[in-house]
Every structure is written in C-alpha cells, then in structure tokens.
Amino acid sequence: MDFIIGGAYQGKREYARSRFSVAEDEIFTCCENGRIDWRARCIDKLEEFTLWCVRSGADPVGLFKSHGDAWRGSVLICMDISCGVVPLGAENRAWREATGRLCAYLASEADSVTRMFCGLAQKLK
Amino acid sequence: MNILISGGSKSGKSALAQQAALRLAGGGKRYYVATMIPYDGEDRARVARHVADRAGMGFETLELGRKVERCLSLAATDATFLVDSVTALLLNEMYPDDHGAEADPDAAKRCVEGLLKVARGAGNAVFVSDRIYSDAIRYDCFTEKYRADLALIDRSLASACDTVLELCAGNVIVHKGEWKP
C-alpha cells in the first residue's frame, strides 16, 4: 500500500495519478456518508471517512484493520489536518485525533509514504 | 535563479528569504517588494519590524500591493527581487479597487501571471508564501476559496522555481533544488 498525505490542495490526487498510474475512475472519493469501497485501487479523502466515523461512533483504525486484506495493494490518500490550533468544537477535536491516528496506522503499514508540498513529493518512507 | 519559501507563521521565512536574496544578489542591486498594504496600527507595527530586520542589508523597498510585475519596470531587471508575501498579494488582488464588496474570482490567475513574469523577467527572485493547508477546520466558502487560490499560486511558483524550501521552526526542508545553510 502506498500512502499519500499532505495539506489541502497540495497535489495529492494528481501525484497518485502520475506516480502510481491510477486512472480517475479507479479512485473512490470518500464523503461524509461513510461509504467506502475497500477494494478500490485508490481511496481519496480519507479525512471525510474519519469525519463520518467520529459522527457515528465508529473506529477508523479498527475498520481498516478488519478490511486489511482489501487495501494492502492500494493507494490511500488523506489530508493532513493536524497542524492548526486545537479546534474549539468537540467534534472537530475528535475528528483531528481520529484522522491523526488513522494516518499513523496507515503510514506504519505502508510500503511508501509520500507527503505533498506545493505539488512536490517528499518521500517520508 | 528563483526560490520559493513557505512554512508556518513565525517559522523564519522572511529571515531566510532575506539571506537567500542577499546571496543571489551577490553585491548587486536588491529590491524588497513589499505586498502588504497596511490598514491599521498592528499592520504598521509589523511593517516597522520587517523594515528594522532588513536594515543595513541594502534592500531598496518597492511597495507593490497589486500588479507585482511592475517591479520589473521600476528597477533594473537584472536585479534581485524579494517578494514578501504572496499571501498578502492575493488578498489585495481579490479587492482590486480597495472598496469592492465582492472578491474578484480571477485574482489568483492574475497573481500567477504577474509572479511568473517576475520569475522569468528578473535576474533573481525569492518568493515568500504561507502554509495554511493543514488544520482541522471546515472553512466558509470565502476562506476555502482563498486557501485553494493560494495553493494554486504556490504550486505554480513551485513548478517554476529552481529551489523550493519549507521552513519549520527555523529549520529548512529542501523540496526542490539545493540549499546550503
């Protein structure tokens, strides 16, 4: 599994397409409804999935572990939302922490970890 | 030679940018292109601090809150320009006449064109931007558009520049090109 992390609009999805030859129709884009295609070649916007998890009381790391056979060969993309001031709202705090824990887990399981900065790839693992 | 420098607030971007510009100028003419238009006392204090920081470095200041590419006609084009900051430039370009109620949706496009003219036309240029892309907040449409627009400018500059540096608590992360401390 190849994990791509970075701030908003830093070129994460474009990098997945160019570096890992992922076609646009192979990318599953998460949204707030919690749906996820565990077997997609590439899953983008995992931060939307973690937001759904927080709202519905689910544990994103646990869910990823229980579907571990499905995504081991995938490209996973998550926005880095870890660097602001501690959010005032409880939901945003829980969201930030859940996303951070998921990112740490996925990075530890990944074959490669890439951080995007201004469209440039920084290899972390 | 062109350099893009970005990073968080108070991470040392301006100091590094001044150092880089001095090095690139190599004794030649150097201009500090100040893009922030001060509106209140806090802004003026920030400007005064920046002016004091670069005292004695030989920069001539050009205050260009909009249409930053004008620096090329105000100075010798083989000079070195330090554009600080892209972030303030975008904000000003969103309100081209100072009184506009609606933000101009084409501001980012204009910034990219102007900044790339500077990058291509100047002897050397150093651009300073801000990393505002990694917090856990759902912004309003206006702020989100501003973030997307600034990121578009950043990516365009990163692609055009020879060197791209990120500052983290005064430490330099080299994303493109080379940097010797």
Side-chain angles (χ1 to χ4, degrees):
Chain A
M1 181 266 287
D2 297 288
F3 185 46
I4 302 170
I5 189 168
Y9 316 111
Q10 298 303 294
K12 302 184 288 297
R13 195 175 170 112
E14 182 53 43
Y15 183 75
R17 281 200 296 257
S18 61
R19 172 66 181 80
F20 299 109
S21 307
V22 172
E24 189 61 33
D25 62 7
E26 292 179 305
I27 305 176
F28 180 85
T29 305
C30 299
C31 64
E32 291 178 21
N33 66 14
R35 274 195 55 233
I36 190 163
D37 178 0
W38 296 102
R39 299 202 170 273
R41 171 89 202 289
C42 174
I43 306 175
D44 190 10
K45 294 192 184 292
L46 286 174
E47 73 280 3
E48 298 289 340
F49 178 69
T50 56
L51 182 60
W52 172 82
C53 288
V54 164
R55 287 176 176 167
S56 52
D59 168 27
V61 173
L63 285 170
F64 263 83
K65 282 181 178 169
S66 63
H67 293 85
D69 56 336
W71 49 264
R72 295 283 169 189
S74 308
V75 177
L76 303 181
I77 306 174
C78 191
M79 192 193 297
D80 179 6
I81 58 166
S82 66
C83 293
V85 175
V86 177
L88 285 176
E91 181 180 280
N92 277 10
R93 282 199 299 278
W95 175 41
R96 187 165 87 147
E97 291 185 12
T99 305
R101 279 192 286 268
L102 179 63
C103 286
Y105 170 70
L106 294 178
S108 73
E109 296 291 314
D111 301 303
S112 78
V113 179
T114 306
R115 175 184 180 243
M116 296 305 295
F117 179 82
C118 298
L120 303 173
Q122 178 185 22
K123 190 170 184 179
L124 300 184
K125 177 179 176 182
Chain B
M1 166 71 100
N2 298 304
I3 303 179
L4 172 65
I5 297 175
S6 190
S9 173
K10 299 295 151 228
S11 57
K13 301 186 295 291
S14 289
L16 181 74
Q18 288 163 12
Q19 188 190 347
L22 281 184
R23 203 183 282 183
L24 291 177
K29 283 291 285 180
R30 48 225 184 244
Y31 294 88
Y32 184 92
V33 181
T35 58
M36 195 181 83
I37 300 172
Y39 287 101
D40 59 15
E42 187 179 323
D43 286 349
R44 280 185 283 275
R46 185 193 301 266
V47 169
R49 201 161 52 234
H50 273 261
V51 169
D53 282 348
R54 63 177 185 270
M57 292 182 177
F59 284 102
E60 190 173 318
T61 300
L62 302 173
E63 292 187 17
L64 297 173
R66 298 183 186 92
K67 295 189 176 64
V68 69
E69 63 275 19
R70 286 179 294 161
C71 69
L72 296 173
S73 55
L74 294 170
T77 50
D78 61 348
T80 296
F81 297 91
L82 195 183
V83 180
D84 192 357
S85 65
V86 174
T87 321
L89 177 70
L90 173 60
L91 187 63
N92 298 332
E93 288 285 3
M94 286 166 84
Y95 299 99
D97 62 359
D98 253 339
H99 307 290
E102 292 282 315
D104 179 353
D106 297 324
K109 188 167 161 278
R110 260 201 326 279
C111 288
V112 168
E113 288 167 359
L115 289 164
L116 290 184
K117 273 182 197 162
V118 176
R120 291 181 187 128
N124 304 289
V126 180
F127 303 95
V128 178
S129 192
D130 288 270
R131 194 166 79 80
I132 57 167
Y133 312 111
S134 293
D135 47 8
I137 297 173
R138 297 273 171 165
Y139 287 102
D140 58 275
C141 294
F142 173 85
T143 309
E144 198 55 45
K145 168 92 165 78
Y146 179 74
R147 292 206 317 162
D149 279 356
L150 187 65
L152 171 71
I153 300 169
D154 286 351
R155 295 198 308 272
S156 304
L157 281 175
S159 173
C161 284
D162 308 283
T163 300
V164 178
L165 307 174
E166 179 186 4
L167 262 280
C168 180
N171 297 283
V172 179
I173 301 164
V174 180
H175 289 280
K176 184 180 181 183
E178 286 184 0
W179 175 255
K180 291 188 179 65

